[in-house]
Structure formats: C-alpha cells, structure tokens
Amino acid sequence: MTTARGALPLDGILVLDFSQFLAGPVAAMRLADLGARVIKVERPGSGDIGRTLAFAGRTADGDTVSFHAMNRNKESITADLKKSDDLAYVKELVAKADVLIQNFRPGVMERIGLDYESVRELNPSIVYASATGYGSEGPWATRPGQDLLAQSVSGLPWLSGSAADGPVPVGLSIADHLLSCHIAQGATALLVRRFRTGEGGLVESSLLEAMLDLQFELLSVRLNDDSIAVKRHGEHSAHAFLAAPYGTYPTLDGYIALAMNPIPKLGELLELPELTGMVDPQQAWDEQERIEALLAERFATGSTEHWLGILDAADVWCAPVLTLDELLDSEGFAAIRMTQEVERRGTTLTTTRSPLRVDGQILSSRKAAPLLGEDDERVRAEFPDAGRAPARDASSTADLDAARAVAPEATA
C-alpha cells in the first residue's frame, strides 16, 4: 500500500538537495521516503549529471533509469547561482529549510557562499549534511571521489576472490550507497537533537569513511595485532578471514553457498569420510583448500536443489547462489515486496522501494523523479524572494561552473 505522507516520521521536514548523482541524492531520497519534503536544486539546462550518466545505458522519459531510481519522491527547481537573484532566492529557501544536503568537493560551497558557517548565519537551526570523497582535510581531500576509486584506496578489492586473482572490486556502488545511509542517519539524528534543544548542526562523512566502517572487523583486529595480513585462499573461499567451508561451490546446475558449519557434520551429511574425522577446529584453517576441494567435488555430482534438500533438513547454514533472473523469479523475492511502480507523463517504471517498514507498513510512493525544473513556478510562488538573504558579491560565485563540473566527482 502507499503510505499516507502525513503518517510518516519526517512529515513536515523540508530538505534542500544540492547533491548530484548517487550518495547525496540517495541520502535525500531516504529522507523523502520517511516523509520529508525534498526539493532538488539543479542547474538550469542540464541539472544533476545523473540525468544523463546512465547505469547500463538505459533511459526512460528523457532521464536515465538510475536517475529515476535515485530521485523519486522529490521536487525539482532550477537556479543559476552565478546570478544574484537566483542566489538570493536559494538563500531564502535555505533560511526556511530544515536540512541541506550537498556533495561538492571541499571548498566549493565556501566559494558559492553556501558552506555551513554561511548557511548557519541564515538559519541557525539548520541541519547541514556534507558528503565528500575523502573528507575535508589530508592529502586525498581533493582527489576525485568516485565509488571504484574509494573502494580501491580502502583496500576492499583485496578481500574478495582467491589467491590467484588480482583485486576484485564489489560490482555495485557500495561506497556511495553506504555513505547515503550514514548521511541520512546523521541528518535524522541531528533533527532529533534539534527537536530536543533547538540546536542545528553539521554532519559530515565520506566515501572513504564508509568503506573503512564497512571493514570494522578487519581493521579492529589488525590495529590490535600487526601480524594480521590479508591472505586470500582457494577458488571456492568467500572470505579472507573465515575458514572452510565458508564459500561457494559448483553443483550440476548452479552453485551453492556454505556459511560457518562444523566440518564433521558436513562429512556425515555428504558422505565424505575424509571430513568426519576433522574434529579439531584448527583443521578448518590448516587444511582449508583440501576441505574446499573435497566439498566442490562432491557438490558437482548433484543439483543445487538436491543438496539443499539434504542440508536444509539438517539446519546447515546454506543457500543457493541465484542469478539475477532466478532472484526475480523466486518466491522469496515476491514475498518481500521490494518493488513499487512510479509514473511520469504516461511512463510507468518499476523501482525498488525503501527497505524500511514503519509500524508494520511498507514505505512506498507513486511519485516519480521530477522533470528538470518541474516545480519552479509553484515553489517560487510558495517561497517568494523577499530579499531576506541578499546575495554575496558576484565574485564569490565565479567558480560555480568549476563547482558543478567537479560535483559528481565528490561522491559519484
């Protein structure tokens, strides 16, 4: 069902979304899914680079499908911040907003005059959320903040694959998506503080911090024991720091995944006497590749469904390794109701929904991503420029074109 907006936790909250492409826009969308009103502020003519930078090259109704997926539930206005009138208008909105989200490189918002300190003068209680590639200080601060690049400097690609492989990056924008969660969480926490004390605040995070947080187990162990090193294992292993049988194994018609399970129990269930006697847990480490090879040879003699029938009945931690098509056709995917339909100008798109349920209700909406400037006239009428926020000298916005150019590199 479509949730009534007034019943949602962030109903009445106004968010200005200055961000582009993924991490910032998805953070804003997460707030929109929780009931906030999100107004996307875009450059006239071109707008968010995500409108044209297509995932898999697919577009719908003039925008990329990925843009539709990341900007549902929003309004769009356009403003040329090199123009004093437009800058004054935007500052008028800022003065009335609850949250501002931006993902420019460090220094860009200062040149525009919309950095946190400047914005706080206009609106002392505002919650200001800033997403960057690598933070605002240090030798990497001005490097392009893009997902693959952030994964790479974090060391993450060396945790997947086998000892025979080169680096294996995660095949999704995991840094961007995790950063969007952190920014949305931080903004929501500061809103709670504001409701308690009246005090706004600044929340900051970066792609790199999101990647480091993801590796908290590894980093915590390594920081307390410098003998720890990443040593990937055989071709079936799924984790550099977990012993056999943790991994994926080919069957006659697909693959099966095994999590942490007692080796002797697997030996009994799979009729592998070589494994039943391995009662010493250390053997799962010392003989890891041999154990994995024995399992792989055995699983290859039967279908995935056959082995799941045996292992599931014994409460073994296992699962089929589904392809995308198999996932979409599965009963499990249907049961979780993770999709929704949105509409724009006669075009209907199926997207994912918010992964949250509130009071037992799925959060969903039929409002599609906005057209560029779709809400210009209505929002300008609602928030007329009364001159409360005079524009800075035009020289303060001389770098706006450069700012726009680097914005997608902040958290692409």
Side-chain angles (χ1 to χ4, degrees), residues 109-128:
M109 290 299 264
E110 285 80 359
R111 294 196 294 271
I112 298 173
L114 291 175
D115 58 292
Y116 174 60
E117 294 302 327
S118 300
V119 164
R120 187 167 62 169
E121 293 180 8
L122 301 171
N123 185 345
S125 65
I126 198 164
V127 170
Y128 192 107

Side-chain angles (χ1 to χ4, degrees), residues 322-405:
L322 301 181
T323 65
L324 178 60
D325 288 340
E326 288 169 342
L327 166 67
L328 296 179
D329 289 340
S330 69
E331 293 181 1
F333 180 77
I336 208 165
R337 293 180 289 163
M338 192 61 198
T339 64
Q340 62 182 8
E341 289 188 343
V342 296
E343 297 178 351
R344 194 178 84 180
R345 295 196 306 190
T347 296
T348 300
L349 286 171
T350 301
T351 75
T352 55
R353 59 164 175 84
S354 167
L356 298 177
R357 298 171 189 244
V358 174
D359 297 330
Q361 297 295 317
I362 286 174
L363 304 184
S364 63
S365 172
R366 293 189 64 83
K367 188 180 188 319
L371 295 164
L372 178 61
E374 177 179 308
D375 303 284
D376 272 333
E377 184 175 342
R378 182 174 55 80
V379 173
R380 282 185 179 269
E382 183 180 355
F383 299 96
D385 182 5
R388 284 177 50 191
R392 292 188 175 187
D393 184 83
S395 62
S396 67
T397 60
D399 291 319
L400 185 68
D401 283 328
R404 293 291 187 179

Side-chain angles (χ1 to χ4, degrees), residues 201-222:
L202 169 66
V203 60
E204 301 171 277
S205 192
S206 66
L207 295 174
L208 180 58
E209 286 162 303
M211 287 294 87
L212 298 180
D213 178 72
L214 178 65
Q215 300 176 72
F216 73 94
E217 292 173 294
L218 165 60
L219 291 175
S220 296
V221 174
R222 173 60 179 79

